[in-house]
Amino acid sequence: MSTPQSSTETETALPDADPVDADAVVEPVDVLEDDTTDAEDTDGDEDDEEDDEEDDLLVQEGDVAGDYLERLLDILDVDGDIDLDVEGDRASVAVVGDELTTLIGPGGATLEALQELTRLAVAQSTGTRSRLMLDIGGFRAKRRADLTELAGQAASRVAASGTAERLSPMNPFERKVVHDVIAAADGVRSESEGEEPNRRVVVLPAS
Amino acid sequence: MLEEALEHLVKGIVDNPDDVAVDLINGRRGKTLEVRVHPDDLGKVIGRGGRTAKALRQVMTGVGGRGLRVDVVDTDGR
């Protein structure tokens, strides 16, 4: 429990793995609260050398998630299609449609809740903790694009001025997008500070 | 529709889906969805720090309106 970062995370070394680790390492205690998107890997120890099985598992995750959400749409009489994909080391599930605002909620709150429940449903079915990402009505995709731009601008300002900048509070998904952008930019680095729901990214000049 | 939606959401995350029951109560102070699950599944429906119950509430109020309440009924006979 005290070391939620398993070796799997670093060994599979995706380009975006660093900021998540950094986020967790700065304040390890926070990992437990932070696991809506990062660090849900407490039980990952057993699957180190099983890449193929891992891919199969991700496909299976998507299938379970798709069924769970499709049935919900049916019951609610909401039109939407489910797109399944695997992005890096996560299953990616997108609900696509024109009238999905009630399932997104203010600031994406309902989307986050549905992602949480979908992960639980997947874990219930597969017996393994899931880190799948859910998008609804393109909400995350748009948020990702907006944050990428915002983070890029902050990186330029901090690199030029040498002065750190504190960004607005963000959820784990949003912080990860920003950390990834900062990690790829020259002359800057990033940290997270504060407690949920006011945890935020700080962009600093690289030392 | 609301009962069925909540029932589906809960059934997917518990060990004993056949023991999930949801009732819609029309009270003076608005609508309440009462959820009953197998006693062994109470922890799953509530979640760490109430996190799962909160997610269920968020989804159901998003769908059914702000006034909708969701109560997880503790049937673990006291």
Side-chain angles (χ1 to χ4, degrees):
Chain A
M1 221 39 179
S2 59
T3 54
Q5 295 292 316
S6 81
S7 54
T8 321
E9 188 98 6
T10 41
E11 276 166 19
T12 50
L14 291 160
D16 59 6
D18 285 347
V20 179
D21 284 353
D23 201 325
V25 168
V26 176
E27 290 170 24
V29 181
D30 195 53
V31 167
L32 287 177
E33 293 177 358
D34 231 21
D35 58 9
T36 40
T37 43
D38 25 49
E40 292 222 331
D41 234 0
T42 44
D43 51 3
D45 299 34
E46 60 238 15
D47 51 30
D48 284 322
E49 304 135 355
E50 301 168 8
D51 281 352
D52 287 348
E53 285 177 34
E54 246 180 63
D55 283 351
D56 287 348
L57 179 64
L58 292 180
V59 171
Q60 192 192 344
E61 281 191 22
D63 287 343
V64 175
D67 288 348
Y68 187 65
L69 293 164
E70 198 144 37
R71 178 80 188 112
L72 180 67
L73 295 180
D74 277 354
I75 294 169
L76 297 174
D77 200 19
V78 170
D79 283 334
D81 291 325
I82 314 272
D83 286 350
L84 303 178
D85 203 351
V86 171
E87 280 178 25
D89 60 348
R90 297 184 195 211
S92 163
V93 181
V95 182
V96 185
D98 292 331
E99 292 168 10
L100 298 169
T101 44
T102 55
L103 296 181
I104 297 169
T110 306
L111 163 61
E112 292 293 340
L114 270 175
Q115 174 176 284
E116 170 91 14
L117 294 172
T118 305
R119 286 178 171 183
L120 292 173
V122 168
Q124 182 68 31
S125 174
T126 64
T128 308
R129 192 94 74 100
S130 168
R131 301 164 68 229
L132 75 83
M133 292 300 293
L134 175 65
D135 195 3
I136 299 180
F139 180 86
R140 268 194 216 284
K142 173 159 194 333
R143 190 79 184 116
R144 185 191 297 273
D146 291 349
L147 285 169
T148 298
E149 191 183 339
L150 179 149
Q153 290 166 350
S156 304
R157 283 195 303 268
V158 171
S161 70
T163 311
E165 268 189 43
R166 256 171 201 81
L167 305 183
S168 311
M170 293 175 192
N171 69 32
F173 157 75
E174 295 168 328
R175 293 199 304 274
K176 174 154 167 41
V177 172
V178 173
H179 282 307
D180 287 352
V181 172
I182 301 301
D186 288 332
V188 286
R189 63 190 179 87
S190 59
E191 293 174 357
S192 293
E193 67 170 33
E195 300 293 324
E196 301 281 7
N198 292 312
R199 198 159 163 80
R200 56 180 69 200
V201 176
V202 185
V203 183
L204 309 103
S207 42
Chain B
M1 181 180 92
L2 293 174
E3 302 100 297
E4 203 187 340
L6 182 56
E7 188 177 301
H8 167 66
L9 289 174
V10 174
K11 278 188 171 181
I13 62 171
V14 296
D15 290 329
N16 305 281
D18 291 345
D19 293 345
V20 175
V22 177
D23 294 307
L24 179 63
I25 313 288
N26 276 300
R28 268 174 306 173
R29 288 186 295 165
K31 293 179 177 176
T32 302
L33 288 164
E34 287 189 352
V35 188
R36 287 177 176 75
V37 297
H38 191 284
D40 295 347
D41 285 327
L42 262 182
K44 287 204 159 175
V45 175
I46 292 165
R48 192 196 331 127
R51 184 169 159 159
T52 307
K54 192 177 157 205
L56 289 167
R57 284 193 185 100
Q58 175 65 47
V59 173
M60 293 317 298
T61 54
V63 168
R66 281 242 154 260
L68 182 66
R69 291 171 36 122
V70 175
D71 280 354
V72 178
V73 181
D74 188 350
T75 51
D76 201 4
R78 280 153 301 175

